Amino acid sequence: MANRWLVTRRLSSQMQPSFVTTPIFYVNAAPHIGHLYSSVIADAIHRFNKMTRSNKPDDCFLSTGTDEHGLKIQQAAIKHSTSTEDYCNAIASKYRELFGRFKIDYTRFIRTTDTDHRQAVHAFWRSLAASDSIYTANYSGWYCVPDETFLTDSQLKENERGEKCSIDSGHPVDWTEEENYMFRLGRYQDDVRYWVKGLEGRRIQPDKFARILLGYLEEPLPDISISRPMNRVSWGIPVPSDPSQSVYVWLDALVNYLTVAGYPKENFCTRWPPTVQVLGKDILKFHGIYWPAFLMAANLEPPQQLLVHSHWTVDNQKMSKSKHNVVDPNERAELFTHEGLRYFLLREGAAHSDGNYSDTKILRVLNSELADTLGNLLSRCCGKALNAASIFPAVDVDALEALKEVDATKRMLEALEEMPDKTLGHYKNYNFYLVADTVVHLLHTANNFFETTAPWKLKKSDNCADRAKLNTILSITMEVLRQAGIVTQPIVPGLSMQLLDKLQISHSARSWNDLKVRFSTRDTPLAEGECILFRRIVPPAPTANELDRPEKHSSLKKRKQSS
């Protein structure tokens, strides 16, 4: 059944609007850098899609939000001595504030406590029931509250205290016996396997995560519980027609993607299915097996693609509250700036492998690439020392031809010609670090061109040819900066806007189609004001308290010891 419509709808799906999603984030704690990483990846994809669909940018949709139901949320609210509703409101506000500061250009911020979401969950449940995919049964098994999931014996281990816990997360489990509604997961195993292998092998990216899913699918899939007794989990959406049960938190959460598309209204199919869903590797099974199976049971098309990313360690250690090394993005942005932290995550993160966060590394990357390479080049072109008229000067044809004979010019122009196609491929493959690599390489060739042609020497000359050559050097370099600014908009939207605004590039001339090399044929004024794009970061000396807590501030101590 599913195989047939997956094939017949493939071409029509490719013509649908861009629909990108982040996972919705569980509100049991404040946001950390891992949540931000998922969000900036999805936002970069969304912004890139808008750039490449300049004729229909409104067809691009990005959803994010918060997952607010479940036993863990009940417990967190009690721990904080507040009502569950007030607790959820407070944490959801923290996510909204975070996304605002880091320029996450979402179309819809959904909360699972929203009225339209409850309606969508009820409609979806009825659709599952109508396909005879739900039945009731007495269920017993090991339940992990922090992970909000039942686990099989093969998914368990004993910790150092001899307690059973999850192999993947290390969180403890409790034996649970209760009557639940069950979902016939095994019925859809073959169709899910077919879906995973689809889209010419690019359904699940990177490939390693497709192999992990196929490994899960080698063994028969057990049916899964999709409800909890209301007397155990009262903070949830009641099962339609059975208020004694609440909808399992993962089924509830996954339906959010349907809610933001407008489900169950008839026109929701104009947006459905999502073009790419961004998620962390820890929730791969939920999105890669349960989610497509749920959708198939409801006779709905699964997402076109899943982009699965790895996690962040801190100074090569796993983030955890017990180690006091959970990175608060708002706190780190006070030193590194919001744009700087956003750049670092996309510059250093690779979806297939865990990234390593350290203050030492981010300081080096931002100072080297954003301050010294990009920012310094803009300052040199726009500063009064070389550009007293504060203009984007016209290129002199004779001077341009002469400069093309210089090896440094040849290398730079070759990198400039190659950059759009290279970065286009990297964006399409979600390799943002390679986009940054390509742009930084171009900027290095531009800095080398600037050093080789030594425009400051020409500034001292009264010769007309020398003045024309000076302006041509500035103009060529500004063209490099113009293109770098356009290409990096999905990665550092704030910095890119600042750069393009300084060069007085029209907002209607910042799409991917504007990347053709075009040297200025007339002098145009630059925007007024200073041209410091990104200031070098000088870290503060660690405080006495920080030195007493090496597990949290090891990178700060290393900086002090090496200085």
Side-chain angles (χ1 to χ4, degrees):
M1 176 187 70
N3 293 359
R4 183 177 68 254
W5 51 254
L6 278 171
V7 173
T8 58
R9 293 191 59 183
R10 181 179 298 162
L11 292 178
S12 63
S13 295
Q14 289 176 347
M15 294 184 286
Q16 285 189 323
S18 164
F19 178 16
V20 182
T21 72
T22 76
I24 53 172
F25 303 107
Y26 214 34
V27 296
N28 63 310
H32 59 64
I33 201 167
H35 304 128
L36 178 61
Y37 185 48
S38 293
S39 304
V40 295
I41 289 174
D43 183 65
I45 296 169
H46 173 62
R47 288 176 180 274
F48 169 74
N49 289 344
K50 289 175 75 172
M51 283 180 65
T52 53
R53 294 170 178 237
S54 55
N55 58 331
K56 286 188 175 181
D58 293 338
D59 278 353
C60 298
F61 191 97
L62 171 63
S63 72
T64 189
T66 45
D67 179 2
E68 303 182 15
H69 288 139
L71 181 58
K72 191 161 55 172
I73 306 304
Q74 290 178 209
Q75 295 174 344
I78 294 170
K79 181 179 178 181
H80 287 83
S81 303
T82 185
S83 72
T84 315
E85 183 177 357
D86 287 345
Y87 174 79
C88 289
N89 288 339
I91 301 296
S93 294
K94 289 182 184 294
Y95 277 96
R96 283 186 182 274
E97 291 165 5
L98 180 81
F99 296 157
R101 291 173 184 141
F102 284 91
K103 294 183 170 60
I104 307 302
D105 186 29
Y106 59 81
T107 316
R108 166 79 187 266
F109 185 99
I110 183 173
R111 300 176 58 184
T112 53
T113 49
D114 290 344
T115 301
D116 64 338
H117 178 67
R118 175 184 288 242
Q119 294 168 349
V121 170
H122 280 173
F124 191 72
W125 182 283
R126 293 188 186 100
S127 185
L128 296 180
S131 68
D132 189 34
S133 297
I134 297 176
Y135 63 96
T136 57
N138 289 316
Y139 186 82
S140 60
W142 295 101
Y143 192 77
C144 180
V145 174
D147 299 335
E148 294 282 14
T149 187
F150 283 98
L151 298 172
T152 62
D153 287 338
S154 64
Q155 295 172 303
L156 301 174
K157 66 178 181 180
E158 285 193 356
N159 60 22
E160 61 276 5
R161 296 186 298 276
E163 301 167 333
K164 287 187 180 294
C165 63
S166 166
I167 290 176
D168 291 334
S169 68
H171 293 145
V173 296
D174 296 306
W175 183 257
T176 301
E177 296 183 14
E178 56 194 28
E179 184 175 66
N180 291 339
Y181 286 93
M182 305 293 293
F183 175 74
R184 302 184 195 277
L185 183 63
R187 174 187 288 183
Y188 301 96
Q189 180 159 352
D190 290 342
D191 288 335
V192 170
R193 185 186 294 109
Y194 180 89
W195 172 79
V196 169
K197 293 179 178 179
L199 209 65
E200 299 176 347
R202 290 182 48 80
R203 179 80 67 200
I204 316 295
Q205 289 295 305
D207 294 340
K208 65 181 284 187
F209 296 112
R211 293 193 293 271
I212 291 172
L213 283 179
L214 291 173
Y216 291 148
L217 290 162
E218 286 180 0
E219 299 294 328
L221 292 177
D223 291 350
I224 58 172
S225 168
I226 56 169
S227 75
R228 301 295 309 278
M230 190 65 83
N231 59 11
R232 286 181 185 260
V233 186
S234 59
W235 185 247
I237 297 175
V239 168
S241 73
D242 187 354
S244 70
Q245 295 271 323
S246 61
V247 176
Y248 175 45
V249 65
W250 264 106
L251 176 57
D252 168 5
L254 289 165
V255 174
N256 96 84
Y257 306 123
L258 284 163
T259 306
V260 298
Y263 181 86
K265 296 176 183 175
E266 289 184 8
N267 65 348
F268 94 95
C269 285
T270 61
R271 187 164 306 284
W272 194 263
T275 45
V276 58
Q277 299 202 262
V278 177
L279 57 132
K281 65 180 182 180
D282 56 320
I283 53 176
L284 174 61
K285 180 181 285 188
F286 297 100
H287 285 77
I289 294 180
Y290 299 168
W291 180 222
F294 290 152
L295 289 166
M296 290 170 183
N299 200 29
L300 295 172
E301 187 170 356
Q304 290 188 38
Q305 194 172 47
L306 301 184
L307 174 60
V308 188
H309 65 76
S310 299
H311 293 163
W312 283 88
T313 59
V314 180
D315 292 325
N316 294 308
Q317 293 186 330
K318 184 177 180 179
M319 272 198 295
S320 72
K321 292 179 182 178
S322 62
K323 293 179 181 177
H324 304 288
N325 68 347
V326 176
V327 179
D328 178 350
N330 288 313
E331 185 260 336
R332 299 326 290 145
E334 291 180 11
L335 175 60
F336 299 121
T337 76
H338 296 94
E339 288 289 285
L341 189 52
R342 181 180 169 120
Y343 179 78
F344 176 80
L345 292 176
L346 292 172
R347 175 74 174 97
E348 291 295 310
H352 54 74
S353 303
D354 287 349
N356 181 46
Y357 177 93
S358 79
D359 287 333
T360 304
K361 184 190 290 187
I362 187 171
L363 184 79
R364 183 175 66 248
V365 168
L366 298 186
N367 280 344
S368 171
E369 298 183 1
L370 294 188
D372 297 346
T373 302
L374 175 60
N376 189 47
L377 189 62
L378 180 68
S379 296
R380 296 170 93 177
C381 289
C382 301
K384 295 294 184 182
L386 293 179
N387 193 348
S390 192
I391 58 172
F392 193 140
V395 162
D396 180 86
V397 175
D398 292 335
L400 177 61
E401 292 306 313
L403 285 167
K404 285 181 178 179
E405 298 302 315
V406 179
D407 285 344
T409 313
K410 292 177 182 177
R411 287 193 295 271
M412 181 189 65
L413 293 178
E414 181 180 338
L416 183 61
E417 288 285 351
E418 293 176 347
M419 190 266 292
D421 284 344
K422 281 188 174 181
T423 52
L424 180 67
H426 296 325
Y427 270 125
K428 287 182 175 180
N429 289 318
Y430 314 122
N431 290 325
F432 306 108
Y433 69 100
L434 292 178
V435 174
D437 264 348
T438 305
V439 173
V440 169
H441 170 69
L442 170 62
L443 293 171
H444 282 158
T445 66
N447 275 287
N448 180 252
F449 162 77
F450 213 80
E451 290 290 331
T452 302
T453 54
W456 52 89
K457 294 180 180 178
L458 301 171
K459 175 71 175 176
K460 301 173 183 177
S461 173
D462 293 328
N463 184 288
C464 290
D466 287 342
R467 303 294 293 182
K469 185 177 180 182
L470 167 62
N471 282 340
T472 300
I473 292 169
L474 294 177
S475 188
I476 293 172
T477 308
M478 288 185 188
E479 171 60 13
V480 170
L481 288 166
R482 181 188 74 85
Q483 294 212 33
I486 290 174
V487 166
T488 54
Q489 287 176 106
I491 296 175
V492 277
L495 276 182
S496 297
M497 182 173 68
Q498 189 181 341
L499 188 160
L500 296 170
D501 286 351
K502 180 63 183 178
L503 298 179
Q504 293 276 48
I505 306 302
S506 167
H507 284 268
S508 63
R510 300 182 182 186
S511 74
W512 203 267
N513 291 333
D514 297 302
L515 284 174
K516 298 185 179 82
V517 175
R518 56 169 190 254
F519 293 120
S520 179
T521 57
R522 61 186 178 87
D523 294 346
T524 55
L526 298 174
E528 295 181 1
E530 65 176 353
C531 50
I532 299 176
L533 189 64
F534 193 90
R535 297 181 185 276
R536 281 186 62 83
I537 298 167
V538 179
T543 66
N545 286 339
E546 289 171 341
L547 290 174
D548 288 339
R549 297 176 67 185
E551 73 281 358
K552 184 174 181 182
H553 296 281
S554 58
S555 54
L556 288 171
K557 288 188 70 177
K558 289 173 187 173
R559 283 208 302 276
K560 186 174 182 183
Q561 292 164 356
S562 63
S563 61

